[in-house]
Amino acid sequence: MGAFDKAKDKAEQLKGQAKEKFGDATDNESLANEGRADQAKGSAKEKWHDVKESASDKLSDAKDQLTGKGRDEGNRR
Protein backbone atom coordinates (compact mmCIF):
# COMPACT_ATOMS: atom_id res chain seq x y z
CA MET A 1 0.00 0.00 0.00
CA GLY A 2 1.30 3.42 -0.81
CA ALA A 3 2.11 5.87 1.91
CA PHE A 4 -0.52 8.23 0.52
CA ASP A 5 -3.28 5.63 0.82
CA LYS A 6 -2.19 4.77 4.34
CA ALA A 7 -2.25 8.44 5.33
CA LYS A 8 -5.74 8.88 3.82
CA ASP A 9 -7.06 5.87 5.73
CA LYS A 10 -5.58 7.12 9.01
CA ALA A 11 -6.92 10.63 8.38
CA GLU A 12 -10.40 9.23 7.83
CA GLN A 13 -10.17 7.36 11.13
CA LEU A 14 -8.96 10.49 12.96
CA LYS A 15 -11.74 12.57 11.40
CA GLY A 16 -14.21 9.97 12.61
CA GLN A 17 -12.80 10.09 16.13
CA ALA A 18 -13.13 13.87 16.18
CA LYS A 19 -16.73 13.70 14.92
CA GLU A 20 -17.61 11.07 17.49
CA LYS A 21 -16.12 13.06 20.38
CA PHE A 22 -17.76 16.28 19.23
CA GLY A 23 -21.07 14.50 18.80
CA ASP A 24 -20.79 12.99 22.29
CA ALA A 25 -19.84 16.35 23.80
CA THR A 26 -22.80 18.13 22.20
CA ASP A 27 -25.28 15.28 22.67
CA ASN A 28 -25.57 14.98 18.89
CA GLU A 29 -26.13 11.25 18.48
CA SER A 30 -26.27 11.50 14.69
CA LEU A 31 -22.84 13.13 14.50
CA ALA A 32 -21.38 10.63 16.98
CA ASN A 33 -22.74 7.74 14.88
CA GLU A 34 -21.37 9.33 11.72
CA GLY A 35 -17.96 9.53 13.42
CA ARG A 36 -18.08 5.87 14.37
CA ALA A 37 -19.01 5.00 10.79
CA ASP A 38 -16.09 7.06 9.44
CA GLN A 39 -13.72 5.22 11.78
CA ALA A 40 -15.02 1.84 10.68
CA LYS A 41 -14.80 2.82 7.03
CA GLY A 42 -11.20 4.04 7.41
CA SER A 43 -10.23 0.89 9.29
CA ALA A 44 -11.85 -1.35 6.66
CA LYS A 45 -10.03 0.49 3.86
CA GLU A 46 -6.75 0.13 5.72
CA LYS A 47 -7.28 -3.62 6.16
CA TRP A 48 -8.27 -3.99 2.49
CA HIS A 49 -5.11 -2.18 1.38
CA ASP A 50 -3.03 -4.43 3.65
CA VAL A 51 -4.62 -7.57 2.15
CA LYS A 52 -4.10 -6.27 -1.37
CA GLU A 53 -0.44 -5.45 -0.67
CA SER A 54 0.18 -8.86 0.90
CA ALA A 55 -1.42 -10.64 -2.06
CA SER A 56 0.62 -8.59 -4.50
CA ASP A 57 3.84 -9.41 -2.61
CA LYS A 58 3.04 -13.12 -2.60
CA LEU A 59 2.18 -13.07 -6.30
CA SER A 60 5.44 -11.30 -7.05
CA ASP A 61 7.41 -13.84 -4.99
CA ALA A 62 5.71 -16.75 -6.79
CA LYS A 63 6.43 -15.16 -10.16
CA ASP A 64 10.10 -14.70 -9.20
CA GLN A 65 10.33 -18.35 -8.18
CA LEU A 66 8.76 -19.55 -11.41
CA THR A 67 10.96 -17.37 -13.62
CA GLY A 68 14.14 -18.15 -11.69
CA LYS A 69 14.80 -14.58 -10.57
CA GLY A 70 16.84 -14.35 -7.45
CA ARG A 71 18.84 -17.47 -8.30
CA ASP A 72 22.51 -17.36 -9.17
CA GLU A 73 22.06 -17.10 -12.92
CA GLY A 74 25.81 -17.31 -13.57
CA ASN A 75 25.86 -21.03 -12.70
CA ARG A 76 22.96 -21.92 -15.03
CA ARG A 77 23.55 -23.15 -18.56
Side-chain angles (χ1 to χ4, degrees), residues 73-77:
E73 304 250 349
N75 292 333
R76 294 180 60 194
R77 288 185 187 215

Side-chain angles (χ1 to χ4, degrees), residues 14-50:
L14 290 172
K15 180 181 87 172
Q17 287 176 349
K19 278 185 182 180
E20 180 183 7
K21 288 181 182 189
F22 189 73
D24 287 342
T26 59
D27 288 330
N28 184 336
E29 190 65 29
S30 176
L31 186 60
N33 287 335
E34 187 178 326
R36 285 190 273 285
D38 286 347
Q39 289 177 68
K41 186 175 166 186
S43 181
K45 283 182 182 179
E46 185 176 16
K47 285 181 174 71
W48 170 246
H49 286 124
D50 289 345

